[in-house]
Amino acid sequence: MKITFIIKYKTNWGQRIFITGSCAELGENAVCEAKEMSYRDDGEWRLTISLPESTKTIDYRYIVVHEDNTRIPEDRFHHAVFGQGCDSYCLFDRWLSEPGDRTFYTSVFTKNLFARRDPKKTKNKPNQTEFVLRLSAPKIKPEQVVAITGNRECLGNWNPDKAPQLSAENFPQWEIRLNADDITFPMEYKFIVRESKTGSLCYWEEGENRFINRPPEDERGYTVVDDDPLRMPEFSWKACGTVIPVFSLRSEDSFGIGDIGDIKKLIDWTKKTGQHLIQVLPMNDTTCSHTWKDSYPYSAISIYALHPLYISIPMLGSLKDKKRKAFFNKIRAKLNSGETVDYPSVEKYKTAYYREYFRQEKENILNNNDFKAFIAGNKDWLIPYAAFSFLRDKNHTADFSGWGEYAQYEHEKIEKFCHPGNEAYEEFSYLFFIQYTLHTQFEFVARHARENRVVLKGDIPIGINRQSVEAWTEPGYFNMQGQTGAPPDDFSDTGQNWSFPTYNWDVMEKDGFSWWKKRFSKLNNYFDCFRIDHILGFFRIWEIPMEYSEGLCGHFRPALPLPEEEIGNYGLLFDERWTKPCIHTRFLPGIFGENTGSDLYRYLHSIDAEHLALNEFCSTQQKISSLFEGCSDRKSQIIRDGLMLIANETLFLEDPYAAKCYHPRISAYKSYAYRELPDENRHAFDRLYHDFYFLRHNGFWKETALKRLTPLINGTEMLVCGEDLGMIPASVHEVMNKLQLFTLEIERMPKALNTEFADLKTLPYHSVCTTSTHDITPIRAWWKEDKEKTQRYYTNVLQGHGKAPEECSTGIAEQMITNHLQSPSMLTVIPLQDWFAVDEEIKRPDPDAERINIPADPGNYWRYRMHITLETLLRANDFNRKIRNLITGSKRY
């Protein structure tokens, strides 16, 4: 079988074109084994090879080789399909660069919003006289089709009414197969877009007419031309959606917590109101202690396993024992009537139901071929997860260091441990069944979403629990001696400590970031879009030493710490005392108030005539926290907070990976140590601080992020969004723009300097804008937080007159949401609580009960539930009509 590859590429002097592909004849995709092509006139490069008749498909790409042997491959692969009955193929290709409209090539559009439900089919068997034209056109709406017309009878002789339609069987690729014998070359043509039902013309493509020649006689055969993409008019598609944690959903079928079945009802409501997206928080299993502390959705014990509590019991099936069925119905009704999630009770009784159902149906389950196939297809993560869950419960701790012979994961030992012959296999099969059920239920709901053109958007946490399956099975990927967090921001003056281990990115890079790619791939089973939580972590992470419980004394990693000599170049004669926490005696009254007495010296000792340092038994924040655990009296709290403050009192932190190199402590200009500096030292420190945090790392972090994110983004078909809030390096938006990642935009958290509220009219198109998030108060509660700020917002943003109202009325809420809907952002995603705010009958009486999380509180209980059922919401016709009108009125689809 003869294959001729042809590509037009205008090279510069000394450049050559090579090709590599997924067959031995093209070097098995090895760039160094690529085959050189021959140059023809007019920038055309060709190569002819012979392939075995049995070859069905190949993937290949072209490579530009420079004079210095630098090799630059295409961004994407070509895909060729071969069939029986044809012994010669001629493939005319174009250079595949990353498309500027990459968003429309994601599964959000190709498999959901613009997907073809019943596309025109093309015949399977090629023949020697066929001439195939293909082009990419991902922005064609579902009610539209692409057709071709031109200067030949088979193209309708420029009559749009007679233009043959292209097939979208492989959307977003469109294709038409013509008989080469019916064409006189050169052929002149153009593509048009028509309404699929009526055939009426929508528009002609822009630009000049297209031309094509037939290949020379010696290279004729089944000819495929990969044409340039459709030249469309300016196209600005925008949509709207809702964000809500799954656990917060409430329906008549719920069991005290939202579940996968409730997502289906939410999809129906989303469609009814003219929305196209549902965003949820992470849905992974977080079970560590079987207490309410497991409610934190960003602390997963597995990056693959879904949370067992999200099983829909009505979708699972009924118990045959009528008494037990009645018992659980009574429990369900009680839990479902609760204002918030009672996490321990929900887990207790839902788990009990699962176990009874499993015992009832065990024989059918274990003999189910789909169940067996699920285990076989997912065993790489499923078996370690089941073993982890079993050992956690058997040892009454998720801290695997206390699991005896299983403290260190050994693959063969765990495989044997989970083998059907093991006496504990019934428990393992139960755990397999739970994940199988979650998977099948979620897959069903995901199909329902696509059928209704509703995009499901997931959420991927930046970290993992340090007591998790992955930390146990793949410890080389993690730095267990560090803690992930965030520097001081709008959420907390002392930063945040999430307690997750940091990543060993150099180890991850060695295997091509396979850990992350598998994580993304699992998400792709259910979602067309996802949010990377704290995407700044791909640029640099805030790493906190283990002895700290707050985030203030962390440092960025990777970073370029300052050696003593460089610090001196700023005019600061480095003093090692600046790296050790201490406090001047004159500041004690301001810290401890009336508790500044002799008993304070139990915790402090003198290091010179004026300074005190923490005693050994309370020398770190972790020791201080343990020392005062359970102390609730006012005096103890003041002393504890004061000692915690002193533990932060440094100007520099030594880098743990580079001796005698230092980071200026974040927010050091607010410290007592800074106040002690002479004026000239303060000015020098200010220059050093500004350069370090806002200039020094821009190029370094840009390079770091591109190295990590590029292969991950290129390896997924999902639309990727980033949560880019907080202390944002200047390179973040450059990288996100380059990779076409969506930013997160919040009006009350502007990214522009010296701005109180973001200008919604200037938001980037590739962005998600929202009125609030799970980490901040919904709009009604926010309205009451800071009266002065609210007044400025009312006057300057809403253009209100006089004094701002005491409450956020439905009219104000409607105006705020409308402003967001009218922004340039492609996606406006409104929290369900904020949608409720526009209707007097629907909104919750107490706005303060709608908050989900307080980031400054590491012990936050994630238990918010919507106050009405989804069934009630679906019946709220006036409310639903109002939402639909707001959306359509803002020209969102």
Side-chain angles (χ1 to χ4, degrees), residues 115 213 239 767 848:
N213 289 307
S767 69
D848 293 327

Side-chain angles (χ1 to χ4, degrees), residues 154-366:
C154 62
L155 302 182
N157 284 322
W158 294 113
N159 183 346
D161 294 334
K162 296 182 179 180
Q165 178 182 323
L166 278 70
S167 166
E169 186 176 359
N170 297 308
F171 183 79
Q173 178 180 272
W174 296 76
E175 176 182 303
I176 188 167
R177 296 187 179 187
L178 304 170
N179 189 329
D181 293 336
D182 296 336
I183 304 172
T184 303
F185 292 93
M187 184 174 73
E188 185 178 1
Y189 61 100
K190 220 169 190 181
F191 295 103
I192 61 173
V193 176
R194 296 190 304 217
E195 294 289 339
S196 58
K197 289 185 178 180
T198 65
S200 59
L201 179 68
C202 298
Y203 54 85
W204 289 74
E205 73 166 331
E206 298 181 331
E208 300 296 324
N209 292 346
R210 302 178 186 235
F211 292 87
I212 197 166
N213 289 307
R214 182 167 181 161
E217 289 293 333
D218 61 341
E219 292 179 353
R220 288 186 184 179
Y222 181 80
T223 302
V224 179
V225 176
D226 188 5
D227 216 337
D228 292 331
L230 184 71
R231 304 187 296 258
M232 290 184 63
E234 187 65 29
F235 183 76
S236 181
W237 186 91
K238 299 192 297 182
C240 178
T242 292
V243 55
I244 186 74
V246 175
F247 62 77
S248 298
L249 297 174
R250 181 193 298 267
S251 74
E252 294 170 7
D253 294 326
S254 300
F255 205 109
I257 193 170
D259 58 42
I260 292 172
D262 293 338
I263 299 176
K264 184 175 183 294
K265 295 183 175 69
L266 185 64
I267 291 167
D268 297 338
W269 175 77
T270 302
K271 181 182 180 181
K272 189 171 188 176
T273 51
Q275 301 179 73
H276 284 290
L277 184 140
I278 292 171
Q279 178 178 329
V280 298
L281 270 56
M283 294 176 61
N284 296 93
D285 191 358
T286 58
T287 309
C288 260
S289 62
H290 297 290
T291 67
W292 66 267
K293 293 182 179 180
D294 294 339
S295 67
Y296 183 23
Y298 289 88
S299 186
I301 64 158
S302 169
I303 62 172
Y304 304 106
L306 294 170
H307 205 301
L309 295 187
Y310 291 143
I311 286 178
S312 166
I313 285 180
M315 292 175 70
L316 176 64
S318 297
L319 296 178
K320 296 176 182 178
D321 187 316
K322 293 182 179 179
K323 288 185 178 179
R324 298 301 293 167
K325 182 177 180 180
F327 168 78
F328 282 110
N329 281 338
K330 184 178 179 180
I331 294 293
R332 185 200 63 78
K334 180 181 178 182
L335 291 173
N336 222 24
S337 65
E339 184 174 328
T340 57
V341 178
D342 179 352
Y343 201 92
S345 296
V346 167
E347 187 194 26
K348 175 182 176 181
Y349 289 108
K350 285 200 81 170
T351 301
Y353 188 99
Y354 303 158
R355 289 190 176 279
E356 291 198 27
Y357 183 83
F358 178 72
R359 285 194 292 270
Q360 172 184 294
E361 302 292 334
K362 184 173 68 173
E363 185 176 347
N364 292 333
I365 292 166
L366 297 183

Side-chain angles (χ1 to χ4, degrees), residues 745-746 758-765 767-769 820 823-825:
E745 308 295 336
I746 304 174
D759 183 357
L760 296 179
K761 297 184 182 67
T762 63
L763 298 184
Y765 179 56
S767 69
V768 178
C769 82
H820 285 73
S823 77
S825 299

Side-chain angles (χ1 to χ4, degrees), residues 673-728:
Y674 177 82
R675 288 164 61 177
E676 279 197 76
L677 293 175
D679 286 347
E680 63 271 20
N681 280 3
R682 280 191 220 170
H683 296 320
F685 185 86
D686 290 345
R687 290 195 306 274
L688 177 151
Y689 185 95
H690 180 269
D691 287 352
F692 187 87
Y693 282 111
F694 301 105
L695 300 175
R696 183 180 182 87
H697 295 91
N698 286 341
F700 177 62
W701 285 337
K702 173 186 173 182
E703 181 183 332
T704 298
L706 286 172
K707 182 170 61 176
R708 295 170 179 177
L709 284 169
T710 301
L712 302 181
I713 304 306
N714 290 342
T716 182
E717 63 178 358
M718 294 179 286
L719 174 62
V720 184
C721 307
E723 183 263 290
D724 55 332
L725 304 178
M727 190 175 178
I728 309 172

Side-chain angles (χ1 to χ4, degrees), residues 508-545:
M508 291 181 159
E509 185 180 358
K510 288 177 181 177
D511 65 8
F513 304 104
S514 63
W515 187 86
W516 282 98
K517 289 176 180 177
K518 288 185 286 186
R519 195 176 185 187
F520 284 16
S521 178
K522 177 63 175 176
L523 214 61
N524 198 25
N525 287 339
Y526 320 110
F527 298 102
D528 287 320
C529 176
F530 70 98
R531 183 193 86 134
I532 299 178
D533 169 52
H534 195 66
I535 197 171
L536 304 184
F538 282 84
F539 293 75
R540 78 293 184 271
I541 201 70
W542 190 247
E543 185 174 277
I544 305 162

Side-chain angles (χ1 to χ4, degrees), residues 628 630-634 636-637:
F628 286 89
C631 297
S632 57
D633 62 285
R634 180 64 177 159
S636 295
Q637 291 177 352

Side-chain angles (χ1 to χ4, degrees), residues 411-424:
H411 177 74
E412 291 184 2
K413 183 185 286 188
I414 293 301
E415 286 276 331
K416 185 177 180 181
F417 186 47
C418 295
H419 192 270
N422 189 296
E423 61 182 11

